[in-house]
Amino acid sequence: MAKEEIERLRGSRILLVEDEPLLLMALADELERVGAIIVGPAGSLDRALEVAGAIQIDGAILDISLHAESIFPLADLLANRNIPFIFASAQDCSQFPSRFLNAPFCPKPALPMEVIATLARLFVSRG
């Protein structure tokens, strides 16, 4: 992905939902490096829903399973608000609910920049 495409994230408020502390820190560092504004982060579904309801966000990176809680209620909320998001998970995406089978997905383990590039592609495709 070209640097200009990643630059689309500069100034964007990105909700970061991840329950693995090391991955969370790595993603947050890379998002800040490209100029994105970290919203949250959230390590639980309740916290993620709270943040999404209180703060305007432009996009999101969602871990699928947060301490055995499914992230799909938040994904539904974001989809209804037309907010771009990607799933980042070690889970097989074929197990996703049918409404999310075509959602952008970055399989773990992945380098933080791979996850961010996947999100940036959504911003580029939206114009």
Side-chain angles (χ1 to χ4, degrees):
M1 168 154 282
K3 184 177 179 177
E4 317 72 69
E5 294 171 330
I6 295 287
E7 285 290 319
R8 288 275 184 105
L9 295 177
R10 182 171 300 285
S12 297
R13 293 169 306 275
I14 306 300
L15 175 59
L16 184 52
V17 183
E18 175 61 57
D19 62 355
E20 176 59 45
L22 293 177
L23 184 53
L24 174 70
M25 287 188 295
L27 283 168
D29 287 348
E30 285 297 321
L31 282 166
E32 288 175 346
R33 190 181 65 74
V34 301
I37 300 163
I38 309 297
V39 177
S44 71
L45 178 61
D46 286 343
R47 175 71 178 138
L49 288 168
E50 177 185 321
V51 170
I55 300 171
Q56 181 181 350
I57 59 175
D58 300 308
I61 298 171
L62 309 177
D63 186 4
I64 298 294
S65 180
L66 303 171
H67 305 290
E69 290 181 299
S70 169
I71 199 64
F72 297 121
L74 176 62
D76 285 326
L77 175 75
L78 297 174
N80 288 337
R81 292 184 183 170
N82 203 26
I83 296 171
F85 63 90
I86 65 163
F87 293 121
S89 179
Q91 291 186 12
D92 179 3
C93 63
S94 68
Q95 303 302 311
F96 290 5
S98 61
R99 66 191 180 280
F100 294 120
L101 286 178
N102 294 317
F105 174 73
C106 193
K108 290 181 186 175
L111 295 173
M113 206 57 201
E114 290 176 59
V115 177
I116 292 165
T118 301
L119 181 63
R121 282 186 204 98
L122 291 180
F123 280 67
V124 170
S125 68
R126 294 180 82 177

